[in-house]
Amino acid sequence: MNDRYIMGIDNGSQSTKVVLFDLHGNEVSIGSCALKEYLTPEPGIVVHPDDDLWDSVSVAIENCLNSFTGDRKAIEGIGLCTIRSCRVLLKEDGSLAYPVLSWMDQRLSKPYQHENDQVKYVTTTSGYLGFKLTGEYNDTAGNYEVNWPLNRETLDWSTDDRVIAAEGLKRDMLFNLVKPGETLGQLRSDIVEKFGFKEEIPVVATSNDKAVEVLGAGIKDDHTLMVSLGTYISSMLLKDENFENASNFFPTLAAMPFKYTYESNGIRRGMWTVSWFKKLIGEELETNASNLDISEEDFLNLKAEEIPLGSEGLITILDWLASPTIPYRKGIMIGFDQRHTRYHIYRSILEAIAYNIKNNTEDMLNETNANIKEIIVTGGGAKSDVLMKIISDVFGLPTHRRKGSSSSSLGAAISVCVNLKIYQNFQDAIDHMVKTDALFVPEFKNHAFYSEVNEKVVKNVRMHTDEILKLTYPIFQ
């Protein structure tokens, strides 16, 4: 298995990361490209500027290959994972008819409305980027959820025109569907020539980005919880069956065909809140980190470790971006006194992340009569030892951080390996390609403390603050 490589593309909410792996799941080369800031021309409208998604993928591929010293023709396949819950409107030639609608755009809470006769196709980010890579009008069934006429039993479109019409669509506006792990098409010849790939290299379908993270995190049973610390933070379980009419979670399609991932209610702009806080501190953070020759994140985490558990009574509620169904909610910090510094605020944000996802996970587990024995944490936030320890203590469970910089890229690479029959199935590929970097074990006294604060305080904050925020919302919206 020497000198054979797989490329995994992770097109995320803030950047695109492209990773080359060997067949053992080791990262060989990495390239990335930040996405531009979203455009928000009016409240509720959130779009990606220009052709930013494709530009970021193209640049990230180039950056990855520029740092790769091996034979580019030894790259055997490309797995594509993209941002989910977006809507892409294309002209007949496959170019954009309108900027890509972000998952945060309120229009995505409703069926498509045809208002532009230039629009020939309505698809997802994976359909669009798959087309840009292959020239084929194919997409993964695993990236279609709300307001799409998908039949989950077949992983294909509904054959009932009335079901399709109810979503504002016609069949000829939709791409053809393939299942996760199947081929979207062969890489376009001009891209092969530009980057020096071998001929007829397959681009392989995955699923929605959270489900691909679950795969790349190595989740194989329903007793292991994945917590994804990204712009949107949620927890996920792998299940064999769909769950109708769920109240406290969303059963989404897994990256393994005909399996499901149950996703808890999430934290919108989760780790984004950390970035927001860093900007508030500004140049002083950069100076302090530079003086110690460490990153800004490492400096903040060092300071957060100095703060006592519970941030000395400072409680944060992470509603920096409220759901459209409860638009009056805003972010809250309560309990300030003379003891509190900016680093108390930072630790309080980290603790708020852990409390929030713990409570959302409990709701999901209670509804499904499930139990968990361990946690796998993925996403950029997993790099923080202090946040990993807080999560372990809040849940009271052993918590693993996987090796590698992108579980989604690894999940995409696993899909390629199964497609090419390098490994017999997804479980076999996981066993060979997913590795643990660190294990965090909870301390009983810390878990007891966090549990008391959570039950007595955190779970009760919103019942009081909601009434105040309902009054401020019409004034400041």
Side-chain angles (χ1 to χ4, degrees):
M1 290 189 178
N2 293 330
D3 300 326
R4 300 173 66 188
Y5 306 101
I6 304 296
M7 177 175 284
I9 297 175
D10 173 18
N11 165 235
S13 296
Q14 299 187 56
S15 67
T16 294
K17 178 173 286 186
V18 175
V19 183
L20 272 180
F21 298 91
D22 65 20
L23 300 191
H24 299 288
N26 299 307
E27 295 181 350
V28 177
S29 179
I30 302 172
S32 63
C33 178
L35 270 66
K36 298 177 182 176
E37 293 287 337
Y38 298 107
L39 299 179
T40 54
E42 57 184 276
I45 305 299
V46 187
V47 298
H48 292 273
D50 307 317
D51 202 358
D52 190 36
L53 295 188
W54 170 242
D55 291 343
S56 70
V57 169
S58 181
V59 171
I61 291 174
E62 184 172 10
N63 290 341
C64 177
L65 292 174
N66 284 344
S67 61
F68 176 55
T69 58
D71 181 4
R72 296 186 181 189
K73 288 183 169 50
I75 300 170
E76 300 192 11
I78 299 172
L80 176 64
C81 170
T82 70
I83 319 170
R84 63 176 174 168
S85 300
C86 299
R87 186 180 291 158
V88 186
L89 311 178
L90 301 179
K91 299 177 183 178
E92 188 167 4
D93 64 358
S95 62
L96 291 174
Y98 184 83
V100 175
L101 278 68
S102 161
W103 61 272
M104 293 182 284
D105 195 298
Q106 290 185 2
R107 288 170 291 182
L108 294 182
S109 64
K110 301 176 182 179
Y112 169 70
Q113 294 182 348
H114 190 68
E115 300 173 336
N116 181 354
D117 288 339
Q118 284 190 311
V119 175
K120 169 63 176 173
Y121 299 104
V122 184
T123 186
T124 68
T125 49
S126 51
Y128 175 56
L129 295 176
F131 170 79
K132 295 290 285 187
L133 288 167
T134 69
E136 302 288 342
Y137 293 89
N138 297 324
D139 197 3
T140 173
N143 204 20
Y144 287 88
E145 299 291 351
V146 179
N147 295 320
W148 295 99
L150 180 73
N151 183 330
R152 287 193 173 195
E153 300 299 320
T154 63
L155 294 184
D156 206 346
W157 298 123
S158 171
T159 56
D160 188 337
D161 289 341
R162 293 171 297 179
V163 173
I164 298 175
E167 304 297 350
L169 299 162
K170 298 178 181 178
R171 177 61 186 87
D172 63 2
M173 301 173 74
L174 299 166
F175 279 24
N176 298 315
L177 294 183
V178 302
K179 297 176 181 62
E182 293 183 347
T183 304
L184 289 168
Q186 302 299 316
L187 193 64
R188 282 173 22 204
S189 59
D190 59 316
I191 298 178
V192 169
E193 183 176 354
K194 175 181 178 180
F195 291 121
F197 290 107
K198 69 173 186 176
E199 296 291 338
E200 298 184 351
I201 182 171
V203 179
V204 175
T206 60
S207 187
N208 62 82
D209 55 359
K210 291 294 185 183
V212 182
E213 273 192 80
V214 169
L215 178 61
I219 307 296
K220 297 190 294 182
D221 60 64
D222 60 2
H223 295 298
T224 304
L225 181 79
M226 188 195 84
V227 173
S228 173
L229 296 177
T231 304
Y232 183 82
I233 296 175
S234 62
S235 63
M236 305 191 80
L237 295 169
L238 181 66
K239 292 287 188 176
D240 290 329
E241 63 282 334
N242 197 6
F243 192 105
E244 299 289 345
N245 303 314
S247 299
N248 297 298
F249 67 97
F250 184 69
T252 186
L253 296 162
M256 303 179 193
F258 302 108
K259 288 185 177 290
Y260 295 87
T261 50
Y262 294 178
E263 180 175 12
S264 72
N265 291 328
I267 308 171
R268 295 158 65 90
R269 286 189 175 171
M271 295 308 298
W272 175 94
T273 313
V274 174
S275 300
W276 165 84
F277 177 72
K278 286 170 55 181
K279 289 180 181 179
L280 286 185
I281 297 181
E283 292 182 4
E284 184 176 340
L285 172 60
E286 182 179 350
T287 300
N288 288 334
S290 179
N291 288 340
L292 294 177
D293 195 25
I294 59 176
S295 70
E296 295 175 5
E297 290 79 6
D298 287 343
F299 177 80
L300 282 175
N301 289 326
L302 282 175
K303 303 302 290 186
E305 287 178 339
E306 299 173 0
I307 305 300
L309 268 67
S311 304
E312 296 189 294
L314 185 60
I315 303 295
T316 297
I317 304 297
L318 289 172
D319 287 323
W320 262 246
L321 179 65
S323 166
T325 59
I326 42 176
Y328 55 84
R329 282 188 172 168
K330 302 294 180 182
I332 296 168
M333 291 183 178
I334 59 172
F336 281 103
D337 62 35
Q338 75 284 352
R339 295 172 297 177
H340 293 122
T341 67
R342 65 192 66 190
Y343 305 114
H344 284 78
I345 295 175
Y346 177 67
R347 184 179 180 100
S348 180
I349 290 173
L350 299 186
E351 290 175 334
I353 289 170
Y355 285 135
N356 198 330
I357 202 62
K358 169 67 159 55
N359 294 335
N360 291 348
T361 298
E362 278 187 356
D363 291 340
M364 176 172 64
L365 295 176
N366 290 337
E367 186 172 355
T368 59
N369 294 316
N371 63 84
I372 55 173
K373 299 177 180 178
E374 61 179 351
I375 301 171
I376 309 296
V377 180
T378 65
K383 297 176 184 177
S384 166
D385 283 1
V386 65
L387 180 52
M388 293 290 293
K389 187 63 169 64
I390 290 171
I391 290 172
S392 180
D393 285 339
V394 167
F395 275 85
L397 291 171
T399 301
H400 304 258
R401 177 172 61 213
R402 296 303 199 200
K403 282 188 177 179
S405 62
S406 170
S407 291
S408 293
S409 293
L410 180 56
I414 288 171
S415 297
V416 176
C417 286
V418 175
N419 177 279
L420 297 177
K421 303 188 185 309
I422 294 169
Y423 297 111
Q424 295 180 1
N425 51 46
F426 287 100
Q427 288 79 7
D428 186 32
I430 287 171
D431 289 341
H432 284 86
M433 300 180 73
V434 179
K435 303 174 181 67
T436 292
D437 174 64
L439 171 64
F440 297 81
V441 179
E443 295 182 48
F444 175 77
K445 64 176 182 177
N446 293 353
H447 176 59
F449 173 82
Y450 277 131
S451 296
E452 180 181 15
V453 174
N454 190 27
E455 293 296 328
K456 291 183 177 180
V457 182
V458 175
K459 288 185 177 181
N460 297 309
V461 170
R462 287 192 181 98
M463 72 172 65
H464 301 288
T465 58
D466 276 0
E467 298 309 310
I468 298 297
L469 293 172
K470 287 176 183 176
L471 298 176
T472 63
Y473 178 71
I475 300 173
F476 296 106
Q477 65 173 311

